[in-house]
Every structure is written in C-alpha cells, then in structure tokens.
Amino acid sequence: MAVLAHDLTGAGAMRARVQHGLRADILDDLGTAEALWRAMESDPAALATPYQRFDWVAAFVAGTGVAEADLRVVVLRDPAGRARVLIPLVVAREGGARVARVIGAKHANYHMPLFASREAAAMRPEDLSDALRLIGRKAGIDVFALSHQPRFWDGAANPLHHEAEPAPSDAYGLMLGPDPDATLKRVFSSDARKKLRAKEKKLVEAFGPVACQRAETPEAVERYLAAFYEQKAARFAGMGLANPYADPAVRAFLARATVPGASPAIEVTALVAAGTGRVFAVFAGAVDAQRYSGMMTSFDADPAVSRSSPGDILLHHLIADQTARGRRSFDLGVGEARYKSSICDETIELGEVTLPVTLRGHVFALRIIAAARLKRRIKRDPRLMALVSRLRRHRAATE
C-alpha cells in the first residue's frame, strides 16, 4: 500500500500522493477551491447533487458559522492532473473522535461527492475509500461519517455507497418530461387532478384568486420565508418536536442561499392569495441546471385553508413550473410521507457510510451504525413510530 507523501503547495493547500494513481489536493478554505469547484459543477458531464454546488455550500458555511479551520475540500486527481472527485468536508470533534462529514448536515438531502463525469464515478469503490483513509491518516481524521449517500444518481452508481449501511429513510423522486401537461397527467391520476381542481376552486371561493409565485425579489423571499417559519413553528409544536428553523444560524443560511439571481442555491415558491398576499403554502428546494430537490415545505393550518390541501395544490403547480423551465428531475427529499409516495416513481436508496481510519474511529463508527439501525427499525415499523409520536406529543403537552 502506498504511503502518503505531501508537500505544501501554497497557503491553504496540502498535496498528497495516494495509491491507484490518484493524487489528492486538500484545501482548507472555500476561496482556494472556488474556481476549480465552479468549473467542475458547470461542466455538463458532471455528476452531482444540488447540495454540493459551491453556492449552496458557501451559504451554509457562512450562515451557520462553520469555522474555516474545520474545513477540508478534498480534490482527487488522476495521473494526468485532471480533477476527478471533489468532496467538501467539515472536521469536528464528536465523542472524543475527529469526525469528517460532508458539509450540509441534516439540511442537505444528499451528501454525494461531486464527480467530474460518469466515467470518474465509475472508479473502483475500494480505490476511493482507500484514498480517503490515507488522507485521513495524514489529516488527523479518525473516521469519515458520510451519511445520505445515494446508491445511484441519475442512473450512475455512487462508489461511496459501496458496503453502506441502509439509511433510516430513503428519498423519493420522479423524472420530468418535456411537456408540463403530459408530465402532470403521468404524475397525477385523472381522479387526483379532478380533486385538486375542486379544492383550488374552494380556496378561490373563500379567499379570492390564488397564484403560485416563485420568489424573485428580496422582499418576496423574506415574506415567504417568514410565512414558512411561522407555519413550521406551529407544526413542530403540535408534533412535540424541536424546531430546527428557530435557530438563527439556520435562518442566516437560508437567507443567503435564497438570494434571487440567475441561479440561486435554493428556490422558494409559495401559493398566495393574489389580492391580499396571504401565504397558504410554501415549498423550497435546492436546484441546479437539471434538478429541483425539495428541502422544506409548510402550509397554513387554519382549517379554512388546510381543508383545501394548499400544499398539494402548490406541489401540482410547482411540478408544472419546473417542467416548463426545462429541469428533468424532481425529488421530494428524504423521509416517508403520503404525498411523496403518491406521486413519485423512483425510490432513491440511501446509505450511511463510515470509513474508520483509527481505532478511535472504529469505536465511533460502531456507535453511529447502531444508532442508524435503531432509527431505521423504528421508522420502518408503524407500531414503533406511533409509539414515538405519542411520546413526543405527551412531552410537548407537559412542557
């Protein structure tokens, strides 16, 4: 097995020679990586998720206050010096171990590397995992904990999913066609479309004309996010769950990621009353040129509104809008929900990947694998999930 040999290549960079002909550049700030990163993601041949776009990651880092000292951007190059793989990591101490995770935490549905092409993603899985372990030894990393790794992405196998532990939940997606009407007819049955038209008609009768509006100004973004925060707070309180969107750091991240422009990292769309501007439902998703990936959604719980299923109405319009704008893939993110399984034609299998580097890393990996298995068992058992839900509601009622 090859030994890491490194030399400093300038401020914020370490160069490492790893086995199988790969060479690693390990950058410790986003600015050093930006030009290469943007070039890789903008190449039509690239294989990546919207959550590894430079703008999405940069917004997360700046908004949530990730320390620059904890950043590592790993770039794997082939013998010709071409960048083949880019993985943005944050390294932090957890439970006594130095753990490397893909940047984005639970707000990123997918943590897959950015591959320069499908050919780059077709590398032997062992080559990629061996390279990361060698990098980990030199960089003082005990374990790589790479959650939410898709088994396949756009039909290509993800080599990091090799020997992954099944994730507690999978994700759900669908392919969009070239024609919005044809896509809607394929996704929603005739009966479902008829019911949605009737529900939208009732909403119009009660509140006047409604419109599906994409936030294209700072004022619209602020208004729709404010409605989302209010609606989500009420929803989490009723479920007895902590509200992650109450965290100022998360709100700062979303404010940065949703800045309107030619290609924001996150798009926000709302179903609103055309006359009063009342927001009935909100949907936001991470985007790239080809895909819309649902990150968060909310709706007005007022019975006068909720009985018309504003979230379903908004989703119907959103799919038509994304199809009309030329995107070819649409997904509703991680987690089980009736509205996801009813319209999606693809289950995106996800895995939890742990790559221990040291003995301390092996111990940490055993703990998180056990936790993932327990969580998966609970989520896949309706009786256990019902019990957990009752306990949460009881806790919320007594606090």
Side-chain angles (χ1 to χ4, degrees):
M1 180 175 289
V3 178
L4 267 177
H6 75 281
D7 62 281
L8 295 180
T9 58
M14 181 180 76
R15 177 151 293 167
R17 186 176 67 252
V18 294
Q19 61 191 99
H20 311 300
L22 294 173
R23 189 189 79 206
D25 289 340
I26 306 167
L27 313 176
D28 58 13
D29 70 274
L30 296 184
T32 304
E34 181 174 1
L36 170 64
W37 196 330
R38 290 190 184 280
M40 288 180 69
E41 71 178 41
S42 63
D43 189 327
L47 186 71
T49 90
Y51 301 95
Q52 281 74 57
R53 280 184 58 194
F54 180 85
D55 288 335
W56 195 100
V57 173
F60 186 89
V61 168
T64 59
V66 176
E68 188 171 284
D70 296 332
L71 293 175
R72 302 289 186 276
V73 180
V74 174
V75 181
L76 296 179
R77 298 178 181 273
D78 65 14
R82 298 179 303 167
R84 302 285 81 195
V85 184
L86 184 148
I87 310 176
L89 299 170
V90 59
V91 181
R93 189 164 293 280
E94 300 179 36
R98 292 206 20 103
V99 183
R101 297 183 183 274
V102 177
I103 296 173
K106 295 181 180 179
H107 296 279
N109 280 308
Y110 314 111
H111 289 170
M112 195 176 82
L114 165 58
F115 294 101
S117 64
R118 292 173 181 269
E119 176 268 332
M123 67 171 60
R124 292 176 66 245
E126 297 83 359
D127 293 353
L128 181 53
S129 57
D130 287 350
L132 288 175
R133 285 192 173 98
L134 285 167
I135 289 166
R137 290 184 189 128
K138 193 64 188 179
I141 294 169
D142 292 308
V143 60
F144 292 86
L146 309 175
S147 61
H148 290 188
Q149 292 294 325
R151 183 179 179 186
F152 295 98
W153 192 254
D154 286 344
N158 171 15
L160 259 188
H161 191 279
H162 180 64
E163 296 184 355
E165 184 76 19
S169 297
D170 292 321
Y172 301 88
L174 59 96
M175 297 301 295
L176 304 177
D179 178 71
D181 288 337
T183 297
L184 290 176
K185 288 179 180 178
R186 172 171 57 84
V187 174
F188 298 93
S189 68
S190 176
D191 184 55
R193 297 197 305 275
K194 180 179 179 180
K195 288 180 179 177
L196 284 173
R197 287 194 296 269
K199 289 182 177 182
E200 187 167 353
K201 181 179 179 181
K202 289 183 179 179
L203 198 62
V204 170
E205 290 172 350
F207 297 98
V210 301
C212 174
Q213 297 180 347
R214 186 171 64 255
E216 296 182 317
T217 66
E219 294 76 19
V221 169
E222 184 177 359
R223 185 158 58 92
Y224 297 163
L225 285 181
F228 169 81
Y229 294 140
E230 182 179 350
Q231 292 167 4
K232 211 63 176 176
R235 179 70 170 171
F236 279 122
M239 297 172 66
L241 297 174
N243 179 9
Y245 300 105
D247 184 347
V250 173
R251 295 191 179 197
F253 153 56
L254 292 175
R256 290 174 179 271
T258 53
V259 172
S263 182
I266 298 174
E267 287 186 0
V268 184
T269 306
L271 184 70
V272 303
T276 64
R278 180 171 177 175
V279 178
F280 299 126
V282 179
F283 214 107
V287 295
D288 59 22
Q290 299 295 329
R291 177 179 288 263
Y292 181 104
S293 178
M295 281 179 60
M296 54 196 203
T297 184
S298 68
F299 62 89
D300 189 332
D302 179 349
V305 175
S306 62
R307 68 169 63 102
S308 293
S309 303
D312 290 347
I313 295 171
L314 175 57
L315 183 58
H316 183 270
H317 287 292
L318 182 62
I319 291 173
D321 176 64
Q322 294 299 318
T323 304
R325 293 169 63 200
R327 291 201 169 101
R328 61 182 179 82
S329 301
F330 186 98
D331 73 69
L332 292 168
V334 180
E336 297 75 19
R338 177 199 57 80
Y339 78 97
K340 295 182 182 183
S341 57
S342 66
I343 70 167
C344 292
D345 53 17
E346 176 192 14
T347 298
I348 303 171
E349 293 182 60
L350 299 177
E352 304 292 299
V353 176
T354 55
L355 298 175
V357 178
T358 66
L359 178 59
R360 187 182 291 111
H362 276 279
V363 173
F364 184 90
L366 289 174
R367 292 203 305 267
I368 62 174
I369 289 172
R373 288 175 177 173
L374 176 60
K375 190 173 182 180
R376 178 179 173 83
R377 181 184 176 190
I378 291 172
K379 287 202 166 194
R380 299 304 170 101
D381 188 323
R383 294 171 300 175
L384 290 176
M385 273 302 299
L387 175 60
V388 170
S389 297
R390 287 197 299 271
L391 291 173
R392 285 170 174 168
R393 288 193 295 270
H394 175 74
R395 183 181 63 184
T398 55
E399 288 180 349

